[in-house]
Amino acid sequence: PRDGVAEAVRRCRDAHIRLTMITGDHPATARAVAEQVGLALPGSPVVVAADLPPDDAALGELIDHDGTVVA
């Protein structure tokens, strides 16, 4: 991760901003990076983009959680 990302995550959380990471990385790599910068929370899901639902409401329900990672 780039310098300053972990600090940015902390500041967002301090401001009560929920975070989602979207990346082209492999799911295992995405989780490792999210954990390294403090974005992933206990139980944070890692969702593979191919498994995202086409329905907007279902998509919102799936990813509208702090710490979600989409790979």
Side-chain angles (χ1 to χ4, degrees), residues 32-61:
V33 170
E35 289 174 353
Q36 184 177 358
V37 299
L39 186 135
L41 301 170
S44 290
V46 176
V47 182
V48 177
D51 295 336
L52 294 174
D55 176 77
D56 288 343
L59 176 62
E61 182 68 28

Side-chain angles (χ1 to χ4, degrees), residues 4-62:
V5 172
E7 174 64 16
V9 168
R10 187 193 61 75
R11 294 176 108 187
C12 287
R13 292 260 166 71
D14 287 348
H16 304 286
I17 297 170
R18 292 182 291 187
L19 301 170
T20 297
M21 183 173 92
I22 300 172
T23 180
D25 290 332
H26 183 278
T29 302
R31 176 174 292 287
V33 170
E35 289 174 353
Q36 184 177 358
V37 299
L39 186 135
L41 301 170
S44 290
V46 176
V47 182
V48 177
D51 295 336
L52 294 174
D55 176 77
D56 288 343
L59 176 62
E61 182 68 28
L62 179 65

